[in-house]
Structure formats: C-alpha cells, structure tokens
Amino acid sequence: MTPTRNNMALWHLLAVVTVAFWGTSFVSTKVLLNHGFSAVQIFTMRFVVTYLLLLIASHKQFRSKNWKHELILFICGVTGCTLYFWTENTALSLAPSSNVSLIVCITPLLIMIFGGLFYKSERLGKRQILGCFITFIGMVLVVLNGKFILKLSPLGDFLAISAALVWTIYSLVVRKLNGEYSTLFITRKIFFYGALTSIPALFIEAGGSVSKAANIPWQNFAEPVVTLNFLCLTVFSSLFGYLVWNKVMKQIGTVLASNYLYAIPMVTIITAVIALGERITAVAIAGAVATVTGMIVAEMKRGS
C-alpha cells in the first residue's frame, strides 16, 4: 500500500471509531435522563463544557476572516448542535424510538442526494450508491430488531425528519470552510454557537422561568455513574467526535463519510445489550451483516 492509501485507511478507521462513540452516546444520554436531567439540560451542558475545553486548546484566533464565514459557522452551530439534538431528543419523547431511529438514519441518503447536486466531487459511482442502499437496508433491520410494527406519531415523526434535515445542512455547509481554517478552530466556533443558542432552549423548556431554567440537578454528579457518562458524552462524543468527524469529512468526502452513520444503530443496540440487558434478534444480526457489507462496498475505490 502507498502512503496515501495508508493515510486514507487511517481516516476510515477514525470514522469507525467516531461512529462507535456516537452509537454509545444514546445509552449515556439515557442514563442521565434516568438520573433527573432533561434532554435540553444534557446537551446544553455538553456544548458549554466542550467549548471550554476547546477554548483551552485553541485560543489564539477568535474571529473568522469575514462575516460570511462567521455566518456559516453560526449556521453550523445551530444546525449541527442545538437544532439537531433538540429535534431528535424531543422526537424521542413523542414517538417510538424505532420510528425516530429509522427516520434520522435517512440522513446519509439525504447527504448523498444533495451532496451530489451541490458538489460535483461528491457524486458517487454505481458501486458506491449500491453499497449505500445495502447499508440502509441493513440499518432498517438493525433498528427494527425483529419488531415490524411501527406506530405513526405525526409530530414526533416530523421532528425526526427535521433532525435528519438539519444534520444534512450542517454536513454540507461546514464543507465550505475546508481549507480556510483549522479543524480545531471550526469545531470550537461551532460549539460556541451551539452553546450560545442552546441557552434559550433551556428557558423555552422552563416556560420562560429563570429559576426553573437554572434548576439543574448538579448534586447528581456526586454519583460516579452520572459523572462517567457525562464525561463520555463530552470528551468522546462531542470533543473527539466532532473534531475527528469534521476532519474525516474533509479527507474522504462528506457523502462517503456520512455512509458510516448507518452503523450508529448497530453500535447502539450492541451497547444496549451489554449495558442495559436488552435483547438482540437474528433479524438485527442479519441487518448488522448487511450494514457492514454495504459499507465495505460503498467505501471501495471509485471507478464503477
């Protein structure tokens, strides 16, 4: 293998590692929800702590080159952080998790469609498209896990679709900054705007009450399980996850990188089996095999 191929293999490996962290984050979030934190409180604390950590690591440059770039960073912070987590977590409270997981996981398909429309370099060959669809089918089987009954929940399903759309917007818009700034700077600015715009979400959730918005159960961090899971969300899913993912999209392309997102439900269900004792069926196992097969086909060298 040439050095270039070695480098590409490294970025594909980092994509897998990032998706593994994101897949386990659902279980960590559930643990915090079970210990008295609301969904908005969780992602607001994540964004604030992650931004402060990034600020320690990178604090020489605060402003982007022009207001257009600053606007792009603001859009990325709103879509990739606040709106994505707000719509997805709210959808989970209104609709069955199977519905939400299936709908949110259409994101790679949306990125493949719109990425090919807006960026010529992101257009896939026939083999890549086939691999993406095989992976999508595998993801459906994993999410259903042997349960083939879905219940309609108009508002919840609409919010899940919204989550898929805003992450698609984030993935395609952040691409415009490739080559302009370091990944560290971009990620720090994204979390700054994510933290800034998540604060109003706290007040909306609290009905406009300052006292209710500030009523975060800090005392629960005395429990090791709470602290450990929050650190996992902050350090691995947010800090490491976004830093590496932004770099991965730059190196291997937004569309092909997003194909790895199909593996998130597979990681989540495996983690749930280990940590929460949930059951996995033969259908889910078949789906996992299809997911991995499709990803291998999609990530093969272009030219088909």
Side-chain angles (χ1 to χ4, degrees), residues 20-288:
F21 286 142
W22 284 349
T24 59
S25 70
F26 289 96
V27 176
S28 292
T29 300
K30 187 172 183 178
V31 170
L32 294 182
L33 287 171
N34 291 339
H35 282 80
F37 295 91
S38 72
V40 178
Q41 289 173 342
I42 293 170
F43 69 68
T44 300
M45 291 188 298
R46 279 179 66 177
F47 299 161
V48 171
V49 174
T50 301
Y51 171 71
L52 293 175
L53 291 173
L54 288 167
L55 186 61
I56 294 172
S58 171
H59 49 267
K60 291 183 178 181
Q61 181 181 1
F62 282 89
R63 295 180 181 179
S64 53
K65 297 176 182 178
N66 53 60
W67 68 267
K68 289 184 179 179
H69 288 176
E70 200 69 30
L71 178 61
I72 291 173
L73 290 165
F74 173 78
I75 292 171
C76 289
V78 172
T79 56
C81 291
T82 307
L83 284 181
Y84 175 75
F85 283 100
W86 201 355
T87 51
E88 183 185 67
N89 290 342
T90 305
L92 285 168
S93 68
L94 296 172
S97 59
S98 55
N99 289 41
V100 177
S101 298
L102 281 174
I103 294 171
V104 170
C105 278
I106 66 171
T107 304
L109 283 179
L110 295 177
I111 293 174
M112 181 176 70
I113 293 169
F114 290 106
L117 288 175
F118 292 116
Y119 301 106
K120 186 177 180 180
S121 62
E122 294 287 357
R123 293 173 186 171
L124 303 183
K126 293 179 181 179
R127 182 184 297 152
Q128 281 73 38
I129 294 174
L130 174 63
C132 289
F133 278 104
I134 292 173
T135 307
F136 176 74
I137 293 170
M139 179 277 303
V140 171
L141 294 176
V142 170
V143 171
L144 292 176
N145 196 17
K147 300 175 183 177
F148 294 95
I149 300 176
L150 294 178
K151 297 180 181 179
L152 292 177
S153 175
L155 180 57
D157 294 344
F158 170 77
L159 288 171
I161 293 172
S162 300
L165 287 172
V166 295
W167 186 264
T168 300
I169 293 171
Y170 164 75
S171 299
L172 297 178
V173 171
V174 75
R175 189 185 186 282
K176 294 180 177 292
L177 299 175
N178 286 347
E180 296 288 344
Y181 307 94
S182 68
T183 304
L184 189 59
F185 173 80
I186 293 171
T187 308
R188 194 198 76 210
K189 293 288 285 188
I190 288 171
F191 273 97
F192 169 74
Y193 285 118
L196 192 66
T197 55
S198 66
I199 293 173
L202 277 176
F203 287 97
I204 293 173
E205 182 186 53
S209 171
V210 176
S211 60
K212 288 183 179 179
N215 189 27
I216 298 174
W218 301 108
Q219 68 279 2
N220 291 348
F221 279 103
E223 299 182 49
V225 66
V226 172
T227 301
L228 179 61
N229 279 280
F230 179 73
L231 287 175
C232 287
L233 288 174
T234 303
V235 176
F236 296 112
S237 297
S238 294
L239 182 62
F240 176 89
Y242 277 74
L243 268 176
V244 174
W245 191 253
N246 288 337
K247 189 71 173 178
V248 165
M249 288 195 295
K250 181 179 179 179
Q251 293 295 323
I252 69 176
T254 303
V255 174
L256 283 182
S258 297
N259 193 47
Y260 281 107
L261 297 176
Y262 284 131
I264 290 178
M266 181 174 67
V267 176
T268 301
I269 197 169
I270 292 172
T271 306
V273 168
I274 296 172
L276 304 176
E278 295 187 5
R279 187 176 65 92
I280 187 169
T281 67
V283 172
I285 294 174

